[in-house]
């Protein structure tokens, strides 16, 4: 059986791509990689990873994912900063989903910061 592709859109199997981050085997090297891994976490239903990678200042106490939404595709539209040498970065993206058989999309310009050496989601701009 072929490995399932990673929901983040990169040409790699989930287990070798975002799955490694979700399992805690490695941390995101860039803000874009964290954003992609967070999209994948929504797609596979990994609320614990989403909470772990959310800045404590804005992190909700709990996260209940909507099981009626199926996240289907990610488009990275723009990224600024967020490389291995930065401490802040932004990523603008469009996330596609299906809800009750109807396609939809949402767009966000997200801010990411390094906290204790790791990238975390700091909210929408």
């Amino acid at each position: 059986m072929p490995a399932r592709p990673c929901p983040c859109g990169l040409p790699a199997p989930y287990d070798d791509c975002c799955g490694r981050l979700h399992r805690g085997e490695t941390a995101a090297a860039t803000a874009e990689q964290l954003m992609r891994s967070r999209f994948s976490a929504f797609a596979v239903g990994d609320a614990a990873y989403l909470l772990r990678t959310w800045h404590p200042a804005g992190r909700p106490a709990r996260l209940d994912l909507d099981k009626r939404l199926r996240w289907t595709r990610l488009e990275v539209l723009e990224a600024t900063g967020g490389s291995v040498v930065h401490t802040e970065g932004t990523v603008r993206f469009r996330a596609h989903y299906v809800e009750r058989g109807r396609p939809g999309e949402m767009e966000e310009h997200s801010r990411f910061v390094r906290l204790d050496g790791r990238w975390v989601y700091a909210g929408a701009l």
Side-chain angles (χ1 to χ4, degrees):
M1 180 158 94
R4 74 174 160 162
C6 194
C8 81
L10 294 177
Y14 168 74
D15 284 340
D16 297 337
C17 192
C18 292
R20 297 178 321 119
L21 282 77
H22 295 171
R23 294 187 301 271
E25 295 170 7
T26 190
T30 66
E32 182 179 329
Q33 187 181 26
L34 179 66
M35 190 279 308
R36 286 179 177 278
S37 71
R38 286 177 55 84
F39 173 84
S40 291
F42 276 104
V44 302
D46 191 343
Y49 179 79
L50 292 164
L51 290 170
R52 278 194 318 273
T53 58
W54 208 316
H55 194 287
R59 179 175 51 220
R62 58 182 264 189
L63 185 61
D64 297 318
L65 299 178
D66 188 343
K67 298 200 184 330
R68 296 171 301 184
L69 284 180
R70 184 172 52 87
W71 296 97
T72 58
R73 185 167 61 95
L74 174 68
E75 292 176 81
V76 174
L77 305 173
E78 173 187 19
T80 61
S83 77
V84 295
V85 299
H86 292 105
T87 57
E88 293 188 13
T90 67
V91 180
R92 193 167 62 84
F93 65 91
R94 185 175 300 124
H96 298 263
Y97 61 87
V98 174
E99 182 179 19
R100 295 184 175 135
R102 292 188 177 155
E105 62 184 48
M106 60 88 59
E107 194 170 308
E108 182 174 301
H109 195 177
S110 299
R111 183 172 166 260
F112 298 89
V113 297
R114 282 196 195 264
L115 182 66
D116 299 326
R118 292 184 177 257
W119 286 107
V120 292
Y121 171 70
L125 294 173

